[in-house]
Amino acid sequence: MKKRTKISLRTKIYLTIVGLLALTGIIYAANPVTFSTFPGLTGVAVSKTEMFATGYAGSNTDVYTLNCAGIPTVYQAAPDAEKYITIAPAQSVAAGFTPRDVFLTFGNLIFRATPPGPFAFFAQITCSEPDHTGITFDKVGTFGNDMIVSCKAGFLFKIDGVGTVTQINALPAGDETEGPVVAPASFGQFGGQILVADEDAGRVNAIDAAGNVTFNVFNWPGAFEPTPEALAFVPSTLCTFCGFAFFQASQQSPAGFPSMFAYPPTDFTGLGGSLIVTLEQDQRIVRVEFQAGNYATTVFDNHPGYNILERTSCV
């Protein structure tokens, strides 16, 4: 997260491209609704039965659960920091995890909770940054179904079920890395690799199991200035929480403004295997798909209520 107001020439060029896409009908007709107006939500993790979210702005800095009305309940008090959260998937049992445990980042520290129990220390990575630590799980198997954690400085780590930390790359994988995800095997030449949003450089980078880094994997021209923030793949089989299949946190501070948007399953019909990329400052969401040997980027949504877009969760 970085709050910026300057509109660069690159951004203006991109907005022009978006306008052309709109004229040609390429912008996808998504149908988001406001799920919550509780201020300051940043991280989000969802299963079929529960939603966890983290606060960042103002006095709302805790870890929350949200019900189907978007009303939060404090799960555990937490200090102010850009915290992110994930839920261990079924595949994580192969790495010694307990599926449905919840994991939370706080700088270089990782915490675990087995609901309804509290969070407790789980692991520590080598990272000097106070926040922006990204977290996900390898559902593909390339990284042993381990937890994947990214440091803002560009280093990636895998962590097994007993908390053993292994650094993946020796050189930074970007200027400001966030929102990691492991690409499905079907996702072209970078299938099975970790993809990270490189916010400062305006691109998405890839890291393979040997730690090799490929920059700007989608060949976005001149760096995609509107700040990629979060990455999520659309599963081939959709599940839902409270009738929705995808959630987008929007770091609104004023009370009454949307802080969580929800998308119905019908918005993802035929999009299984696509990558959804949230652009924080540009306040748009784009879709990347692998087709005919190339990666194609189109606009998935451009909702007028967006502010500072943060993390996503696809059920």
Side-chain angles (χ1 to χ4, degrees):
M1 184 279 294
K2 186 182 289 86
K3 297 184 179 179
R4 291 184 278 186
T5 56
K6 179 180 178 182
I7 300 178
S8 71
L9 177 61
R10 289 170 181 163
T11 300
K12 291 177 182 177
I13 292 172
Y14 175 68
L15 296 180
T16 300
I17 292 171
V18 168
L20 292 173
L21 289 174
L23 289 175
T24 57
I26 299 177
I27 293 181
Y28 192 80
N31 299 281
V33 301
T34 297
F35 186 80
S36 180
T37 59
F38 184 71
L41 297 180
T42 302
V44 56
V46 184
S47 71
K48 296 178 183 178
T49 58
E50 55 196 347
M51 169 184 281
F52 290 86
T54 58
Y56 177 71
S59 60
N60 303 324
T61 64
D62 299 327
V63 181
Y64 306 92
T65 57
L66 275 69
N67 63 17
C68 288
I71 298 172
T73 298
V74 174
Y75 185 86
Q76 188 167 335
D80 187 5
E82 193 164 315
K83 305 174 289 292
Y84 293 108
I85 196 163
T86 192
I87 299 173
Q91 297 91 334
S92 68
V93 70
F97 290 92
T98 300
R100 308 266 63 86
D101 276 1
V102 183
F103 293 85
L104 176 75
T105 69
F106 187 87
N108 65 338
L109 304 177
I110 314 297
F111 295 87
R112 175 178 58 191
T114 301
F119 283 95
F121 173 79
F122 174 69
Q124 181 173 349
I125 63 172
T126 304
C127 179
S128 60
E129 302 293 341
D131 56 19
H132 288 71
T133 304
I135 187 168
T136 189
F137 273 89
D138 169 23
K139 298 180 182 180
V140 180
T142 312
F143 298 86
N145 297 115
D146 283 345
M147 175 191 298
I148 305 297
V149 176
S150 63
C151 172
K152 177 182 176 182
F155 298 102
L156 280 293
F157 305 85
K158 60 180 184 178
I159 307 175
D160 66 17
V162 296
T164 303
V165 178
T166 303
Q167 185 167 325
I168 297 172
N169 54 313
L171 297 175
D175 296 349
E176 183 179 324
T177 58
E178 299 193 64
V181 68
V182 179
S186 59
F187 195 65
Q189 68 186 93
F190 298 105
Q193 297 190 30
I194 300 170
L195 302 181
V196 292
D198 190 351
E199 182 178 344
D200 260 7
R203 59 195 178 186
V204 172
N205 306 326
I207 304 92
D208 67 18
N212 301 306
V213 180
T214 304
F215 295 97
N216 197 16
V217 295
F218 304 134
N219 294 314
W220 285 340
F224 210 49
E225 181 65 22
T227 57
E229 166 76 16
L231 309 176
F233 277 94
V234 179
S236 56
T237 302
L238 292 172
C239 298
T240 61
F241 171 75
C242 297
F244 297 99
F246 185 84
F247 296 86
Q248 171 67 63
S250 180
Q251 196 188 79
Q252 308 280 2
S253 294
F257 280 74
S259 58
M260 187 75 70
F261 293 90
Y263 292 78
T266 50
D267 281 355
F268 301 93
T269 301
L271 302 189
S274 295
L275 176 67
I276 303 298
V277 183
T278 297
L279 306 175
E280 178 182 335
Q281 296 295 326
D282 184 67
Q283 301 168 18
R284 285 167 174 78
I285 300 174
V286 300
R287 171 196 173 205
V288 181
E289 62 176 333
F290 182 73
Q291 53 181 214
N294 296 297
Y295 293 100
T297 302
T298 54
V299 176
F300 175 75
D301 194 23
N302 175 21
H303 194 281
Y306 289 162
N307 186 3
I308 304 298
L309 296 183
E310 289 292 335
R311 296 307 159 88
T312 62
S313 185
C314 200
V315 180

